[in-house]
Amino acid sequence: ELLSSDFDALLGWWEETLRIQHSHITDALSGRRLNVLQQCVAIGMEKDSDSNIKDAHGLSEWLLARHAEMCKGEARSEATAALLTGPPAAGKTSLLSQVVVHSLNSKTSKMVPVLIKVQSLQKRLLEQPAAFSEAWNWADAYLHLEHAEPVYRMLRQALSSRRALLLLDGLDEGGAAREQ
């Protein structure tokens, strides 16, 4: 494990990197950079859900609250994860960028957002299958292949201490490895 001071330094760098990457999106028509939090991506929950989540802020708070409840160690009967579905270009990727930014800005919970693009995960899986068969899970294998050693160690530590907010983007883009 990393020393606390090293972990905190890398975490600060990681959070700043995520803010830069996810705070703006590019408008497909004009090419202008738009503040991601000013874009409207409305969402709805399944009918049988008792949640009234309407946007990325609500989803982020819901995910962070589920994590806080799980940390108490009590058995949970409700969902602790969410699956976002929608047609192409519906705003799912923009919504995940909003969730990243909202989770970074949260005052109630400090999770480490980790966004994995499934297309990139599939590419790594096909190129280096041994790395995935030897790792304790696919997220760990992917992060080890994608990031330099100190960043990987910080992210692995966040995963193993259950402080990571794992977000997968593009499940429908799994390609040849989709079943896996």
Side-chain angles (χ1 to χ4, degrees):
E1 289 189 3
L2 295 171
L3 297 173
S4 179
S5 58
D6 293 340
F7 181 90
D8 291 342
L10 284 166
L11 180 58
W13 174 85
W14 180 253
E15 289 176 345
E16 186 58 30
T17 300
L18 291 178
R19 282 185 209 289
I20 292 167
Q21 289 176 346
H22 295 282
S23 63
H24 291 82
I25 58 173
T26 303
D27 181 84
L29 298 175
S30 69
R32 291 188 356 227
R33 285 177 40 92
L34 305 171
N35 182 325
V36 74
L37 295 181
Q38 293 178 350
Q39 306 313 303
C40 178
V41 182
I43 60 176
M45 298 294 281
E46 291 286 327
K47 290 180 193 177
D48 58 344
S49 172
D50 62 349
S51 178
N52 60 356
I53 298 170
K54 303 283 187 244
D55 58 15
H57 183 263
L59 178 59
S60 178
E61 290 299 315
W62 182 83
L63 289 168
L64 297 175
R66 295 295 78 76
H67 176 262
E69 290 171 3
M70 289 181 65
C71 286
K72 293 177 184 173
E74 300 169 2
R76 311 288 337 143
S77 60
E78 61 273 347
T80 57
L83 175 64
L84 303 174
T85 61
K92 297 178 299 290
T93 298
S94 295
L95 182 80
L96 286 179
S97 284
Q98 291 175 338
V99 168
V100 167
V101 173
H102 283 301
S103 67
L104 291 171
N105 294 340
S106 176
K107 304 291 185 221
T108 59
S109 178
K110 269 315 211 190
M111 298 288 291
V112 179
V114 178
L115 180 67
I116 296 176
K117 302 269 187 186
V118 173
Q119 266 189 332
S120 180
L121 172 69
Q122 183 225 211
K123 181 180 178 213
R124 291 292 195 163
L125 176 63
L126 294 174
E127 291 173 350
Q128 297 172 298
F132 288 85
S133 65
E134 296 166 2
W136 64 288
N137 66 40
W138 280 20
D140 177 67
Y142 174 79
L143 295 173
H144 195 224
L145 294 170
E146 285 291 307
H147 298 286
E149 190 63 26
V151 175
Y152 162 69
R153 288 183 60 203
M154 184 272 299
L155 294 173
R156 181 183 170 102
Q157 195 166 327
L159 282 170
S160 63
S161 63
R162 298 182 181 209
R163 290 184 54 199
L165 176 60
L166 192 57
L167 304 166
L168 303 173
D169 186 22
L171 287 174
D172 56 332
E173 300 167 12
R178 185 174 183 172
E179 278 300 312
Q180 291 176 302

